[in-house]
Amino acid sequence: MHKSKRTASGSDGETSTSNGECIANGDSKSHLKRKIVHRNDEDIVRLIVQHLQGLGLKKSVDVLIQESGCRLEHPSAAKFRESVMAGDWERADAILKELRPLVENKDDISKMKFCLMEQKFLEFLEEDKPIEALHCLRTELTPLKCNKERVHQLSGLIMCTNEEDLYRRAEWNGKGLLSRQKLMDRLQSFLPASVMLPPHRLRTLLNQAIELQKEKCPYHNTKLELGMHSLSLLSDHCCSRDDLPCETKYTLTEHCDEVWFLRFSHNGLRLATGSRDGTVSIWDVSDGEPKHFKTIEGHSYGVGYLAWSPDDLYLIACGPEDCAELWIWNTETGELKCRMNQAADDSLTCCAWTPDSSRIYTGGKRGQFYQCDLDGNVLATREGVRVTGLHCLKGSRTVLASDTHNRVRAYNFEESSDDLLIQENYSIMSFSISDDDRHALLNVATQGLHLWDVRDRVLVRKYHGPKQEKFTIYSCFGGVNKDFLASGSEDHKVYIWHSKSEKPLAVLSGHTRTVNCVSWNSRDPTMLASASDDGTVRIWGPVSRSSKPGFGSTAV
């Protein structure tokens, strides 16, 4: 006759698996024939059991445990959970000693006991038992010598005059199932998963899988929170390419000459466009449809660059290479804040705001590089730096500058220091920086786009497709998580890439001459704007359902 094996806890009729889990009572031959053989299969069954238990399907749980021979958790852990949820603190403390051999870090046992006694102390206070609470504090919490700061906070709670005051000061939900379940979740974090599964483990894994699928989806570009509640688990998640801004929604013809530059405001409510005709047009795009808001005139050289202040109140307009001045406009009133002109031989073609909107940097290819206030007064100068692009890093006094030596350098005017970050072999036509200041996107003459890690100073990826040889082309980051890149091109097209793929996701047709600049709306990740020498600005959006596949764009 077969004799039952004795488990680690000493109970008859159970046997331990390789990871310490116990098999349900039953004949050993049935154990040998059972389907659950591999540890991975055991883990899956345990996850399913835990999930079913959370749904309240107790009969299904019992059947699955009986048929599979797998338990959800270690017997001592099950008793421990039962004691905690019942508020039987003495029994829970006793079972904690049984769990001690299963915990790798023995100090965690003290932390677990502290959590138990803290709950016990708080429940005594809620039950208006200050003497019992004080006894718990002195004889059970304080001797643990664990989290002295919290012990000090708890001692002050004895003076609470009512329950609401106790809940607020203790940051506690009060006695009950919810409070004890939160306690149990904290206690579980100290136990190995082989002893007690972390709470809602299956749901956590499935959410991780969904996040990974969204990360790998080449077209994912929505602000909607997509999780288990909104996506099917029966198939992999994949967005449609039509969700990208691939279709012309509006064509703006306000300018009467080449449109050299455009940029959305930081809040995404407005779009500013600059043209060879010497005007700046500001558009309200708050409801998706662009409405003309204001036209600013007087730039006799044309407008080749624009920069919104971080608070979106002011707009800087720079001219082309032969322009020696820049303008700072109040975008609300249309009034000129400042017209800066230091010397007749200056070339102020680019600029950047400090993060607090109090100062600006400007420069050009003739060797001017200034730090100025908003009245145009020069605060500091770097001599001989032939600047082609500028960007101020957030939270620092550092400004990045690309120059005519195919470099991007970091300058600190206060410390009179500079540092080489990027060196290219070909001309850097323009560059933009990601929102976290980590990556630089460079338009490199004849080479396409290059993505650099600014912190590590390494080239991350090269993007191919656009033609850029003679003219300055501006690219941008975009999309809901800034996972996409876009650029204009001398072949009259707009290119869109996923940042992790060198080949373009879409090539947008519509313009009839060079596309000089693109800008992606930060507020609406489905809105992209492009400016062209054909004198138009195009606003791109998702493909309409009624449109034919591929309308206005080319799949790649």
Side-chain angles (χ1 to χ4, degrees), residues 39 62 160 318 352 542:
R39 177 170 179 172
D62 293 340
C160 289
C318 297

Side-chain angles (χ1 to χ4, degrees), residues 215-216 451 461 463 483 485 497-502:
E215 184 179 331
K216 290 188 174 182
L451 183 68
R461 193 166 285 110
Y463 305 93
D483 288 332
L485 314 172
W497 299 262
H498 192 283
S499 59
K500 295 183 179 180
S501 177
E502 297 179 357

Side-chain angles (χ1 to χ4, degrees), residues 260-278:
W260 286 342
F261 197 86
L262 84 175
R263 183 160 291 176
F264 285 107
S265 58
H266 295 93
N267 60 21
L269 299 178
R270 289 179 181 168
L271 172 68
T273 62
S275 170
R276 183 179 180 180
D277 64 13

Side-chain angles (χ1 to χ4, degrees), residues 295-356:
T295 295
I296 300 173
E297 300 178 341
H299 301 271
S300 56
Y301 290 87
V303 180
Y305 191 85
L306 296 166
W308 291 87
S309 61
D311 58 11
D312 290 329
L313 177 59
Y314 295 106
L315 183 70
I316 297 178
C318 297
E321 187 173 342
D322 54 351
C323 180
E325 55 189 13
L326 63 76
W327 298 260
I328 304 178
W329 298 93
N330 185 311
T331 59
E332 292 297 328
T333 64
E335 296 178 351
L336 182 64
K337 166 70 174 173
C338 169
R339 183 173 180 175
M340 176 179 169
N341 186 345
Q342 293 300 317
D345 60 348
D346 276 356
S347 174
L348 305 182
T349 57
C350 58
C351 60
W353 290 86
T354 56
D356 62 359

Side-chain angles (χ1 to χ4, degrees), residues 189-204:
S189 65
F190 295 105
L191 295 172
S194 58
V195 175
M196 180 181 288
L197 285 177
H200 316 296
R201 183 58 182 163
L202 180 59
R203 186 175 295 274
T204 299

